[in-house]
Amino acid sequence: MLHLPSGFPMSQASSTTATRQSLLLVSLGRGFGGALIFSLPMLMTMEMWELGFSMDRWRLLALLVVSMPLMMFLSRYSGFESTRRWDEDLRDVAIAYGIGTVTSGLVLLVTAVIGPGMGAPEIVGKLCLHTFPAALGALLGRSQFGRHSTDADAEESYPAELGIMAIGALFLGLNVAPTEEMVLISYRMTAWHSLVLVPLSIAVMHGFVFASEFKGGTELSRDTPWWSALLRFTVVGYVVALAISAYALWTFGRFDGLSMQRALQITVVLGFPAAIGAAAARLIL
Amino acid sequence: MAEQSAGSRISSDAAEWIVAIVSAVLVLALLVFLLSEALTQTGRLPDISLAVTEVVPTAHGYNALVSVTNQGSATAAEVELAGILGDEESRALLDYSPAQSVRQVSLIFTHAATPEEIQLRVLGYTDP
């Protein structure tokens, strides 16, 4: 059951219990909506079902552990409520995981991806793997559907901007990371193709960074020289996107048995959507 | 932009530039690596070698673990493998044998054997 502790800080206008409950319902609704939008592509991807029972259990555990601080960060910048204390963030993250588990469990059950006759390791594996993207979507749901003008904007520090880029990279990257197409594309590409894809990713990213220069609340202003923005945001953002891609690919076992060259090429392939997700996140989040 | 004291402003600027320079060096290193690979290893054939690493008795027979190593600089897809032990032949189909990488395949036999007794060969493959 969900329960709001007494003394829970809200804006003065919504002090009555009835208003609180309806606010909570609206924010839970947004959470379920976000969880569905973010995780449905993955819930309906065959490779994700297979990973549920085939992936290394330590990596699955590592994914759940690593996702915690990331979710805490996201909660700080776009959670269910405007939070300022870590225990509130922890509560929001717990709610997001609850929504994520329920959403992915229901969808997996309705689409017969899990059902009777399957062993507990298979069912739990599939559920655990899908819970993280669904919980991430639940947290994002609020910022996507119900923007509050007052929160977070005031404290967009440089590390926070990088964190937002990392989440953007996950948002787009996780959707395609488990698919076999990532691997297949990299097998079809030669090193020359990769040599074109890297500058292309950076150029498209910089377009987004440039576009966000004219949106309020970022560190960049009109008089920031272009190379400064390129180095401090685009290139750093691209490295963040590559790091997120490499982590996702390693988690899904795509690097197993591969040479360094091959692993780098797959990372560059996944780095393309991840980079665009990273750059776009600064406009959206 | 939030107001900051002069001291923390300078140190956070310095940190930003350190991160920026490290990232730029990483991206340049990636490009140099890709360029060196592009110049040295484009357009050759896959070069697949097979070896039985171990034969493990299981409920359904003797499981010969075969490592498929592709030393070439091109990836092979739908690699068909065969192992021959006496008058018994076992086959397996491997999705991909990536360039310069190792994959693991199992061939099942009804008789026990040492790794040396099993003859292996690649029947064919396609381009990915």
Side-chain angles (χ1 to χ4, degrees):
Chain A
M1 280 302 283
L2 290 164
H3 166 71
L4 286 179
S6 58
F8 174 65
M10 302 279 285
S11 62
Q12 294 94 332
S14 59
S15 52
T16 66
T17 317
T19 321
R20 262 192 207 185
Q21 280 175 346
S22 74
L23 267 181
L24 180 67
L25 279 179
V26 167
S27 119
L28 281 179
R30 283 179 188 148
F32 275 106
L36 277 174
I37 286 183
F38 190 66
S39 67
L40 261 186
M42 276 166 272
L43 287 163
M44 294 187 165
T45 299
M46 198 164 67
E47 287 87 345
M48 283 292 276
W49 314 336
E50 286 162 8
L51 282 166
F53 53 81
S54 68
M55 83 182 271
D56 186 87
R57 296 289 123 163
W58 287 110
R59 292 184 202 181
L60 185 55
L61 196 64
L63 179 69
L64 292 178
V65 171
V66 165
S67 65
M68 280 302 286
L70 194 80
M71 300 277 287
M72 291 289 282
F73 167 85
L74 188 60
S75 161
R76 169 99 341 168
Y77 287 93
S78 57
F80 291 100
E81 308 290 348
S82 306
T83 53
R84 288 291 175 267
R85 285 172 28 211
W86 71 268
D87 56 327
E88 292 170 6
D89 288 327
L90 194 65
R91 180 206 58 202
D92 279 4
V93 169
I95 294 175
Y97 269 105
I99 292 177
T101 312
V102 170
T103 308
S104 45
L106 281 177
V107 173
L108 290 173
L109 209 57
V110 165
T111 52
V113 176
I114 56 176
M118 291 176 188
E122 180 175 354
I123 292 174
V124 174
K126 283 175 179 171
L127 206 55
C128 283
L129 185 57
H130 285 98
T131 292
F132 167 55
L136 195 62
L139 266 182
L140 281 169
R142 180 192 159 271
S143 81
Q144 299 279 319
F145 301 138
R147 181 179 291 277
H148 282 236
S149 55
T150 50
D151 63 340
D153 279 355
E155 36 174 308
E156 275 182 9
S157 61
Y158 187 66
E161 295 247 14
L162 296 187
I164 287 168
M165 286 204 255
I167 286 159
L170 271 176
F171 190 92
L172 217 54
L174 268 186
N175 275 297
V176 285
T179 64
E180 193 179 326
E181 280 80 353
M182 291 303 106
V183 182
L184 180 57
I185 289 170
S186 82
Y187 292 162
R188 296 175 62 91
M189 284 168 65
T190 64
W192 290 110
H193 290 95
S194 303
L195 266 178
V196 174
L197 190 56
V198 172
L200 180 69
S201 308
I202 293 177
V204 176
M205 256 194 110
H206 194 63
F208 278 96
V209 170
F210 183 78
S212 70
E213 277 184 47
F214 302 107
K215 175 183 168 270
T218 69
E219 288 226 320
L220 293 169
S221 62
R222 273 165 212 270
D223 35 85
T224 311
W226 67 270
W227 51 266
S228 169
L230 180 74
L231 270 180
R232 285 190 304 147
F233 288 93
T234 312
V235 173
V236 175
Y238 185 58
V239 170
V240 168
L242 285 182
I244 296 272
S245 305
Y247 178 72
L249 289 166
W250 174 79
T251 299
F252 296 147
R254 293 302 192 191
F255 285 167
D256 296 358
L258 284 193
S259 64
M260 236 254 302
Q261 292 98 307
R262 286 291 129 188
L264 263 181
Q265 283 208 331
I266 305 181
T267 310
V268 168
V269 171
L270 181 58
F272 184 43
I276 290 169
R282 293 182 61 245
L283 278 178
I284 298 162
L285 275 177
Chain B
M1 196 185 294
E3 287 295 319
Q4 286 171 302
S5 71
S8 75
R9 175 100 212 121
I10 289 164
S11 69
S12 78
D13 267 4
E16 272 183 50
W17 280 109
I18 290 168
V19 174
I21 289 164
V22 168
S23 301
V25 168
L26 284 175
V27 171
L28 280 179
L30 174 68
L31 288 171
V32 168
F33 182 85
L34 289 173
L35 183 66
S36 74
E37 212 202 349
L39 290 173
T40 54
Q41 308 184 317
T42 299
R44 298 207 201 129
L45 287 172
D47 180 9
I48 299 170
S49 55
L50 308 172
V52 179
T53 48
E54 205 183 346
V55 181
V56 184
T58 60
H60 51 258
Y62 293 87
N63 196 338
L65 303 178
V66 180
S67 68
V68 183
T69 310
N70 184 353
Q71 303 271 18
S73 47
T75 294
E78 292 173 56
V79 184
E80 201 178 359
L81 312 167
I84 296 160
L85 175 65
D87 53 0
E88 188 180 10
E89 191 191 61
S90 293
R91 291 188 180 200
L93 190 65
L94 180 63
D95 284 352
Y96 298 106
S97 174
Q100 280 148 11
S101 302
V102 185
R103 280 283 180 274
Q104 205 61 238
V105 166
S106 285
L107 291 173
I108 317 292
F109 293 97
T110 51
H111 304 293
T114 62
E116 295 76 33
E117 289 171 312
I118 299 169
Q119 292 181 326
L120 298 167
R121 81 184 195 94
V122 180
L123 300 176
Y125 57 81
T126 63
D127 274 345

